[in-house]
Amino acid sequence: MFKLDKLSVCLGFTALVAITAQSSFAQSGSAKFPGIGRVATPAEVAAWDIDVRPDFKGLPKGSGSVEQGQVIWEAKCASCHGTFGESNEIFTPIAGGTTKDDVKTGRVASLKDMKQPQRTTLMKVPTVSTLWDYIYRAMPWNAPRSLTPDDTYALVAFILSLGEIVPDDYVLSNTNIAEVKMPNRNGMTTKHGFWNVSGKPDVNGNACMHNCVPFVQIGSTLPDFARNAHDNIAEQNRMYGPYRGADTTKPPIKELPGLSGAGLAHAADTHSASSKGPAALFKNENCSACHSPNAKLVGPSIADIAKKYEGQSGALDKLMVKVKAGGSGVWGAIPMPPQAQLSDEDRKTLVSWVLSGGK
Protein backbone atom coordinates (compact mmCIF):
# COMPACT_ATOMS: atom_id res chain seq x y z
CA MET A 1 0.00 0.00 0.00
CA PHE A 2 2.87 2.33 0.89
CA LYS A 3 4.58 1.56 -2.44
CA LEU A 4 1.38 2.35 -4.35
CA ASP A 5 1.01 5.69 -2.56
CA LYS A 6 4.63 6.55 -3.35
CA LEU A 7 4.14 5.61 -7.00
CA SER A 8 1.01 7.77 -7.22
CA VAL A 9 2.90 10.76 -5.81
CA CYS A 10 5.70 10.25 -8.36
CA LEU A 11 3.27 10.00 -11.27
CA GLY A 12 1.36 13.04 -10.09
CA PHE A 13 4.59 15.05 -9.76
CA THR A 14 5.71 13.99 -13.25
CA ALA A 15 2.38 15.04 -14.73
CA LEU A 16 2.57 18.38 -12.91
CA VAL A 17 6.06 19.01 -14.29
CA ALA A 18 4.87 18.19 -17.84
CA ILE A 19 1.83 20.48 -17.58
CA THR A 20 3.94 23.27 -16.12
CA ALA A 21 6.48 22.90 -18.92
CA GLN A 22 3.75 23.05 -21.56
CA SER A 23 2.19 26.08 -19.91
CA SER A 24 5.53 27.86 -19.60
CA PHE A 25 6.28 27.19 -23.26
CA ALA A 26 2.90 28.55 -24.28
CA GLN A 27 3.17 31.62 -22.06
CA SER A 28 6.65 32.46 -23.35
CA GLY A 29 5.17 33.53 -26.68
CA SER A 30 2.86 36.07 -25.09
CA ALA A 31 5.76 38.27 -24.01
CA LYS A 32 7.38 38.17 -27.44
CA PHE A 33 4.18 38.95 -29.34
CA PRO A 34 1.96 40.76 -26.82
CA GLY A 35 -1.70 40.92 -27.67
CA ILE A 36 -1.64 38.54 -30.65
CA GLY A 37 -1.82 35.13 -29.02
CA ARG A 38 0.94 32.74 -27.97
CA VAL A 39 3.40 30.27 -29.37
CA ALA A 40 1.84 26.86 -29.99
CA THR A 41 3.02 24.11 -27.67
CA PRO A 42 4.93 21.13 -29.11
CA ALA A 43 1.86 18.98 -28.49
CA GLU A 44 -0.37 21.39 -30.42
CA VAL A 45 2.05 21.50 -33.33
CA ALA A 46 2.29 17.70 -33.36
CA ALA A 47 -1.51 17.43 -33.45
CA TRP A 48 -1.64 19.50 -36.65
CA ASP A 49 1.55 18.18 -38.24
CA ILE A 50 -0.11 15.26 -40.03
CA ASP A 51 0.78 15.90 -43.64
CA VAL A 52 2.00 12.96 -45.73
CA ARG A 53 4.33 13.93 -48.55
CA PRO A 54 4.78 12.30 -51.96
CA ASP A 55 7.89 10.52 -50.65
CA PHE A 56 5.70 9.18 -47.77
CA LYS A 57 7.45 11.28 -45.15
CA GLY A 58 5.00 11.70 -42.28
CA LEU A 59 3.10 8.49 -43.04
CA PRO A 60 2.07 6.82 -39.77
CA LYS A 61 2.36 3.10 -39.22
CA GLY A 62 -0.72 0.98 -39.74
CA SER A 63 -2.61 -1.26 -42.11
CA GLY A 64 -6.07 -2.01 -43.41
CA SER A 65 -7.66 -4.47 -45.82
CA VAL A 66 -10.02 -3.93 -48.72
CA GLU A 67 -12.69 -5.82 -46.78
CA GLN A 68 -12.31 -3.55 -43.74
CA GLY A 69 -12.36 -0.52 -46.01
CA GLN A 70 -15.64 -1.57 -47.58
CA VAL A 71 -17.33 -1.65 -44.17
CA ILE A 72 -16.09 1.89 -43.37
CA TRP A 73 -16.96 3.10 -46.86
CA GLU A 74 -20.55 1.94 -46.65
CA ALA A 75 -20.97 3.51 -43.20
CA LYS A 76 -19.26 6.86 -43.77
CA CYS A 77 -18.59 7.48 -47.46
CA ALA A 78 -21.19 5.83 -49.67
CA SER A 79 -23.89 8.44 -48.93
CA CYS A 80 -21.91 11.01 -50.91
CA HIS A 81 -19.61 8.92 -53.09
CA GLY A 82 -21.90 6.00 -53.98
CA THR A 83 -21.60 2.31 -53.17
CA PHE A 84 -19.04 1.79 -55.94
CA GLY A 85 -17.46 5.25 -56.00
CA GLU A 86 -19.85 6.46 -58.70
CA SER A 87 -20.90 9.36 -56.42
CA ASN A 88 -24.18 11.28 -56.47
CA GLU A 89 -25.32 14.31 -58.43
CA ILE A 90 -23.14 16.68 -56.38
CA PHE A 91 -19.74 15.05 -56.05
CA THR A 92 -17.50 13.80 -58.85
CA PRO A 93 -16.95 10.04 -59.12
CA ILE A 94 -14.04 8.45 -57.27
CA ALA A 95 -13.47 5.39 -59.46
CA GLY A 96 -13.85 4.63 -63.15
CA GLY A 97 -12.13 5.64 -66.38
CA THR A 98 -8.93 3.67 -65.70
CA THR A 99 -7.76 0.36 -67.13
CA LYS A 100 -5.15 -2.26 -66.33
CA ASP A 101 -3.08 -0.90 -69.21
CA ASP A 102 -3.12 2.51 -67.50
CA VAL A 103 -1.73 0.89 -64.36
CA LYS A 104 1.09 -0.60 -66.45
CA THR A 105 1.97 2.59 -68.33
CA GLY A 106 1.26 5.14 -65.60
CA ARG A 107 -0.78 7.24 -68.00
CA VAL A 108 -4.59 7.33 -68.16
CA ALA A 109 -5.63 7.08 -71.80
CA SER A 110 -9.21 8.25 -71.17
CA LEU A 111 -7.97 11.70 -70.06
CA LYS A 112 -7.50 12.42 -73.77
CA ASP A 113 -10.81 10.86 -74.78
CA MET A 114 -13.48 13.52 -75.29
CA LYS A 115 -16.14 10.82 -74.94
CA GLN A 116 -15.14 10.17 -71.30
CA PRO A 117 -18.18 11.60 -69.46
CA GLN A 118 -16.38 12.72 -66.31
CA ARG A 119 -12.90 12.66 -64.85
CA THR A 120 -12.67 10.57 -61.70
CA THR A 121 -10.31 10.84 -58.75
CA LEU A 122 -8.37 7.73 -59.75
CA MET A 123 -7.94 9.12 -63.28
CA LYS A 124 -6.25 12.28 -61.99
CA VAL A 125 -4.40 11.66 -58.70
CA PRO A 126 -0.80 10.69 -59.54
CA THR A 127 0.43 9.74 -56.06
CA VAL A 128 -1.20 7.36 -53.62
CA SER A 129 0.24 9.43 -50.74
CA THR A 130 -1.95 12.36 -51.85
CA LEU A 131 -5.03 10.15 -51.70
CA TRP A 132 -4.06 8.87 -48.23
CA ASP A 133 -3.24 12.35 -46.91
CA TYR A 134 -6.47 13.94 -48.14
CA ILE A 135 -8.70 11.22 -46.72
CA TYR A 136 -6.89 11.22 -43.37
CA ARG A 137 -7.12 14.99 -42.87
CA ALA A 138 -10.41 15.90 -44.52
CA MET A 139 -12.81 12.95 -44.57
CA PRO A 140 -15.56 12.23 -43.89
CA TRP A 141 -16.98 15.61 -44.78
CA ASN A 142 -19.01 16.02 -41.60
CA ALA A 143 -16.28 14.68 -39.29
CA PRO A 144 -12.80 15.40 -40.69
CA ARG A 145 -9.80 13.89 -38.85
CA SER A 146 -12.02 11.32 -37.18
CA LEU A 147 -10.45 8.39 -39.09
CA THR A 148 -7.59 6.43 -37.53
CA PRO A 149 -4.50 5.55 -39.60
CA ASP A 150 -5.78 1.96 -39.89
CA ASP A 151 -9.19 3.24 -41.07
CA THR A 152 -7.45 5.34 -43.70
CA TYR A 153 -5.28 2.46 -44.95
CA ALA A 154 -8.42 0.34 -45.26
CA LEU A 155 -10.37 3.05 -47.13
CA VAL A 156 -7.52 3.71 -49.56
CA ALA A 157 -7.21 -0.04 -50.14
CA PHE A 158 -10.93 -0.23 -50.92
CA ILE A 159 -10.78 2.73 -53.32
CA LEU A 160 -7.77 1.21 -55.08
CA SER A 161 -9.66 -2.07 -55.42
CA LEU A 162 -12.58 -0.21 -57.07
CA GLY A 163 -10.15 0.84 -59.77
CA GLU A 164 -8.65 -2.67 -59.98
CA ILE A 165 -5.29 -1.24 -58.95
CA VAL A 166 -5.01 -3.78 -56.15
CA PRO A 167 -6.79 -7.15 -55.75
CA ASP A 168 -9.86 -7.59 -53.55
CA ASP A 169 -7.90 -9.39 -50.83
CA TYR A 170 -5.20 -6.71 -50.60
CA VAL A 171 -3.97 -5.37 -47.27
CA LEU A 172 -2.44 -1.89 -47.57
CA SER A 173 0.11 -0.79 -44.98
CA ASN A 174 2.90 1.68 -44.40
CA THR A 175 5.38 -0.99 -45.52
CA ASN A 176 3.86 -1.69 -48.96
CA ILE A 177 2.07 1.55 -49.91
CA ALA A 178 5.12 2.71 -51.92
CA GLU A 179 4.67 -0.32 -54.18
CA VAL A 180 1.22 0.81 -55.36
CA LYS A 181 1.29 1.94 -58.99
CA MET A 182 -1.25 4.71 -59.59
CA PRO A 183 -2.75 4.81 -63.12
CA ASN A 184 -1.76 8.46 -63.66
CA ARG A 185 1.64 8.40 -61.89
CA ASN A 186 3.44 9.48 -65.08
CA GLY A 187 0.78 11.97 -66.09
CA MET A 188 1.57 14.72 -63.60
CA THR A 189 3.27 17.80 -65.02
CA THR A 190 4.38 21.07 -63.50
CA LYS A 191 5.29 22.56 -66.89
CA HIS A 192 2.05 24.39 -67.42
CA GLY A 193 0.22 27.48 -66.24
CA PHE A 194 -3.34 28.66 -65.98
CA TRP A 195 -2.94 30.33 -69.34
CA ASN A 196 -0.49 29.79 -72.17
CA VAL A 197 1.19 32.92 -73.45
CA SER A 198 3.09 32.48 -76.71
CA GLY A 199 3.28 28.76 -76.04
CA LYS A 200 4.70 29.18 -72.52
CA PRO A 201 3.09 29.04 -69.06
CA ASP A 202 1.92 32.41 -67.77
CA VAL A 203 3.59 31.76 -64.40
CA ASN A 204 7.26 30.98 -64.01
CA GLY A 205 10.10 31.68 -61.64
CA ASN A 206 13.63 30.76 -60.72
CA ALA A 207 14.86 30.27 -57.19
CA CYS A 208 17.90 32.37 -56.32
CA MET A 209 20.66 30.15 -54.92
CA HIS A 210 23.53 32.65 -54.41
CA ASN A 211 24.11 36.43 -54.18
CA CYS A 212 20.42 36.90 -53.51
CA VAL A 213 18.98 40.27 -52.55
CA PRO A 214 18.34 40.50 -48.79
CA PHE A 215 14.71 41.64 -49.13
CA VAL A 216 12.09 40.94 -51.76
CA GLN A 217 8.81 42.79 -52.04
CA ILE A 218 6.21 40.24 -53.05
CA GLY A 219 3.23 41.46 -55.01
CA SER A 220 0.93 40.44 -57.83
CA THR A 221 -0.57 41.97 -60.92
CA LEU A 222 -3.07 40.82 -63.52
CA PRO A 223 -1.47 40.62 -66.98
CA ASP A 224 -3.33 42.37 -69.78
CA PHE A 225 -4.52 39.14 -71.40
CA ALA A 226 -6.16 37.99 -68.15
CA ARG A 227 -7.27 41.31 -66.74
CA ASN A 228 -10.95 41.13 -67.67
CA ALA A 229 -11.21 37.34 -68.03
CA HIS A 230 -13.91 37.14 -65.34
CA ASP A 231 -15.59 40.48 -66.00
CA ASN A 232 -15.18 43.47 -63.74
CA ILE A 233 -13.91 42.27 -60.36
CA ALA A 234 -14.87 45.56 -58.72
CA GLU A 235 -18.55 44.83 -59.38
CA GLN A 236 -18.37 41.38 -57.84
CA ASN A 237 -19.31 40.75 -54.26
CA ARG A 238 -16.61 40.85 -51.65
CA MET A 239 -17.82 41.70 -48.16
CA TYR A 240 -14.49 41.86 -46.37
CA GLY A 241 -10.91 42.87 -46.95
CA PRO A 242 -9.21 46.23 -47.42
CA TYR A 243 -10.55 46.83 -50.92
CA ARG A 244 -13.24 45.40 -53.14
CA GLY A 245 -11.24 44.56 -56.24
CA ALA A 246 -9.82 46.46 -59.18
CA ASP A 247 -11.86 47.81 -62.07
CA THR A 248 -10.65 45.30 -64.62
CA THR A 249 -12.34 47.10 -67.51
CA LYS A 250 -9.70 49.84 -67.17
CA PRO A 251 -5.88 49.78 -67.33
CA PRO A 252 -4.08 48.92 -64.08
CA ILE A 253 -3.66 51.74 -61.58
CA LYS A 254 -0.12 52.84 -60.81
CA GLU A 255 -0.30 52.05 -57.13
CA LEU A 256 -2.26 49.57 -55.07
CA PRO A 257 -4.88 51.31 -52.89
CA GLY A 258 -3.43 49.79 -49.74
CA LEU A 259 -0.07 51.51 -50.18
CA SER A 260 -1.61 54.96 -50.02
CA GLY A 261 -4.20 54.04 -47.46
CA ALA A 262 -7.11 54.91 -49.75
CA GLY A 263 -8.33 51.34 -49.96
CA LEU A 264 -8.41 50.99 -46.21
CA ALA A 265 -11.77 52.76 -46.21
CA HIS A 266 -13.31 49.29 -46.37
CA ALA A 267 -11.19 47.80 -43.61
CA ALA A 268 -14.15 47.98 -41.27
CA ASP A 269 -16.06 45.56 -43.52
CA THR A 270 -14.48 42.59 -41.86
CA HIS A 271 -16.19 39.45 -40.74
CA SER A 272 -15.96 40.33 -37.06
CA ALA A 273 -17.09 43.89 -37.56
CA SER A 274 -19.96 43.13 -39.90
CA SER A 275 -23.59 43.27 -38.97
CA LYS A 276 -24.96 40.38 -36.94
CA GLY A 277 -28.33 40.46 -38.68
CA PRO A 278 -29.71 37.13 -39.90
CA ALA A 279 -28.88 37.75 -43.57
CA ALA A 280 -25.30 38.71 -42.64
CA LEU A 281 -24.99 35.66 -40.39
CA PHE A 282 -26.27 33.44 -43.19
CA LYS A 283 -23.57 34.76 -45.49
CA ASN A 284 -20.68 35.05 -43.02
CA GLU A 285 -21.17 31.51 -41.75
CA ASN A 286 -21.07 30.20 -45.34
CA CYS A 287 -24.65 28.87 -45.20
CA SER A 288 -25.08 30.35 -48.68
CA ALA A 289 -22.54 27.87 -50.03
CA CYS A 290 -25.18 25.13 -49.75
CA HIS A 291 -28.51 27.00 -49.47
CA SER A 292 -30.03 29.68 -51.68
CA PRO A 293 -33.25 31.69 -51.25
CA ASN A 294 -35.38 29.88 -53.84
CA ALA A 295 -33.41 27.11 -55.57
CA LYS A 296 -31.90 23.84 -54.41
CA LEU A 297 -28.11 23.80 -54.31
CA VAL A 298 -26.31 21.20 -52.20
CA GLY A 299 -29.04 21.57 -49.60
CA PRO A 300 -32.69 22.70 -49.76
CA SER A 301 -33.63 26.32 -50.43
CA ILE A 302 -34.76 28.65 -47.66
CA ALA A 303 -38.20 28.77 -49.27
CA ASP A 304 -38.48 24.95 -49.24
CA ILE A 305 -37.42 24.74 -45.57
CA ALA A 306 -39.94 27.43 -44.57
CA LYS A 307 -42.71 25.66 -46.48
CA LYS A 308 -41.90 22.23 -44.98
CA TYR A 309 -42.01 23.45 -41.39
CA GLU A 310 -44.77 26.07 -41.76
CA GLY A 311 -47.14 25.94 -38.79
CA GLN A 312 -45.30 23.07 -37.07
CA SER A 313 -44.94 23.47 -33.32
CA GLY A 314 -41.45 22.89 -32.05
CA ALA A 315 -39.87 23.51 -35.45
CA LEU A 316 -37.57 26.22 -34.10
CA ASP A 317 -36.11 23.99 -31.35
CA LYS A 318 -35.87 21.00 -33.71
CA LEU A 319 -33.93 22.90 -36.36
CA MET A 320 -31.69 24.59 -33.79
CA VAL A 321 -30.57 21.14 -32.66
CA LYS A 322 -30.01 20.06 -36.27
CA VAL A 323 -27.95 23.13 -37.09
CA LYS A 324 -25.72 22.55 -34.06
CA ALA A 325 -25.26 18.79 -34.44
CA GLY A 326 -25.61 18.37 -38.20
CA GLY A 327 -27.50 15.51 -39.79
CA SER A 328 -28.74 13.86 -42.95
CA GLY A 329 -31.70 12.00 -44.40
CA VAL A 330 -34.42 14.68 -44.28
CA TRP A 331 -33.52 16.34 -47.60
CA GLY A 332 -31.50 13.55 -49.16
CA ALA A 333 -28.37 11.58 -48.44
CA ILE A 334 -25.92 14.50 -48.42
CA PRO A 335 -25.15 15.33 -44.78
CA MET A 336 -25.17 18.81 -43.32
CA PRO A 337 -22.02 19.48 -41.28
CA PRO A 338 -22.50 20.52 -37.62
CA GLN A 339 -22.33 24.25 -36.93
CA ALA A 340 -21.22 24.09 -33.31
CA GLN A 341 -19.29 27.36 -33.62
CA LEU A 342 -22.55 29.34 -33.52
CA SER A 343 -23.76 30.76 -30.23
CA ASP A 344 -27.28 29.85 -29.12
CA GLU A 345 -28.36 33.41 -29.85
CA ASP A 346 -26.98 33.35 -33.40
CA ARG A 347 -28.46 29.90 -34.07
CA LYS A 348 -31.88 31.08 -32.95
CA THR A 349 -31.58 34.20 -35.10
CA LEU A 350 -30.59 32.16 -38.16
CA VAL A 351 -33.22 29.45 -37.77
CA SER A 352 -36.00 31.97 -37.09
CA TRP A 353 -34.99 33.84 -40.22
CA VAL A 354 -34.95 30.68 -42.33
CA LEU A 355 -38.36 29.57 -40.99
CA SER A 356 -39.76 32.96 -41.97
CA GLY A 357 -38.59 32.35 -45.54
CA GLY A 358 -35.67 34.75 -45.21
CA LYS A 359 -37.85 37.79 -44.50
Side-chain angles (χ1 to χ4, degrees):
M1 187 70 182
F2 173 76
K3 289 182 178 178
L4 284 176
D5 288 344
K6 193 172 182 179
L7 177 61
S8 299
V9 170
C10 289
L11 289 174
F13 179 74
T14 303
L16 179 62
V17 169
I19 293 171
T20 303
Q22 294 276 343
S23 177
S24 300
F25 188 89
Q27 291 297 325
S28 64
S30 301
K32 188 175 181 181
F33 305 108
I36 57 172
R38 60 172 174 78
V39 176
T41 66
E44 289 169 335
V45 173
W48 283 99
D49 186 16
I50 62 169
D51 66 305
V52 178
R53 302 178 188 180
D55 61 357
F56 300 103
K57 183 177 181 180
L59 185 72
K61 293 181 179 179
S63 66
S65 67
V66 172
E67 185 178 2
Q68 292 166 331
Q70 184 173 5
V71 175
I72 301 170
W73 178 273
E74 290 176 354
K76 300 183 177 182
C77 314
S79 61
C80 291
H81 298 297
T83 304
F84 302 104
E86 74 278 13
S87 297
N88 54 28
E89 71 273 18
I90 300 296
F91 302 101
T92 54
I94 301 295
T98 60
T99 66
K100 291 185 177 179
D101 283 343
D102 296 338
V103 176
K104 293 178 182 176
T105 62
R107 290 187 181 275
V108 176
S110 59
L111 284 172
K112 295 182 178 179
D113 185 356
M114 298 303 291
K115 295 180 180 178
Q116 175 67 28
Q118 205 166 11
R119 295 184 175 188
T120 70
T121 299
L122 291 183
M123 287 171 62
K124 296 181 291 184
V125 175
T127 54
V128 68
S129 57
T130 303
L131 191 62
W132 199 100
D133 177 80
Y134 184 79
I135 292 172
Y136 186 53
R137 71 172 60 247
M139 290 290 115
W141 182 24
N142 60 340
R145 297 189 62 184
S146 61
L147 297 170
T148 67
D150 286 346
D151 290 342
T152 309
Y153 280 108
L155 274 176
V156 172
F158 177 70
I159 291 171
L160 294 174
S161 75
L162 290 176
E164 298 184 353
I165 300 169
V166 300
D168 294 343
D169 58 352
Y170 195 75
V171 178
L172 185 69
S173 72
N174 60 294
T175 60
N176 66 4
I177 191 170
E179 300 169 5
V180 173
K181 295 185 181 300
M182 296 296 284
N184 197 39
R185 64 186 179 280
N186 296 324
M188 183 172 67
T189 173
T190 58
K191 296 179 180 179
H192 61 273
F194 196 67
W195 277 284
N196 283 324
V197 181
S198 302
K200 296 181 179 179
D202 64 322
V203 176
N204 54 71
N206 295 305
C208 178
M209 303 304 291
H210 62 275
N211 295 329
C212 305
V213 295
F215 174 75
V216 176
Q217 179 69 52
I218 299 175
S220 64
T221 58
L222 281 171
D224 291 342
F225 62 85
R227 186 163 181 76
N228 203 31
H230 300 286
D231 297 326
N232 189 356
I233 294 176
E235 295 177 350
Q236 297 173 26
N237 196 12
R238 183 179 175 182
M239 293 301 295
Y240 53 86
Y243 25 79
R244 294 184 181 275
D247 185 345
T248 50
T249 64
K250 299 176 181 177
I253 56 177
K254 294 181 180 179
E255 189 177 58
L256 288 174
L259 298 178
S260 62
L264 298 179
H266 299 291
D269 297 339
T270 59
H271 182 102
S272 59
S274 60
S275 167
K276 280 284 187 178
L281 269 174
F282 185 78
K283 188 164 191 174
N284 290 339
E285 298 299 332
N286 291 323
C287 308
S288 55
C290 295
H291 304 281
S292 74
N294 295 298
K296 182 181 185 304
L297 296 178
V298 178
S301 70
I302 296 174
D304 285 343
I305 298 172
K307 184 178 179 181
K308 179 180 178 67
Y309 292 99
E310 185 177 10
Q312 289 190 25
S313 62
L316 176 65
D317 292 337
K318 181 179 181 180
L319 291 189
M320 282 184 65
V321 171
K322 278 189 169 293
V323 169
K324 184 175 184 178
S328 65
V330 177
W331 297 94
I334 300 175
M336 173 177 161
Q339 307 295 323
Q341 82 282 4
L342 288 169
S343 67
D344 290 344
E345 180 185 359
D346 285 349
R347 258 186 316 125
K348 187 174 183 179
T349 300
L350 260 178
V351 173
S352 299
W353 182 72
V354 169
L355 288 174
S356 73
K359 300 175 183 175

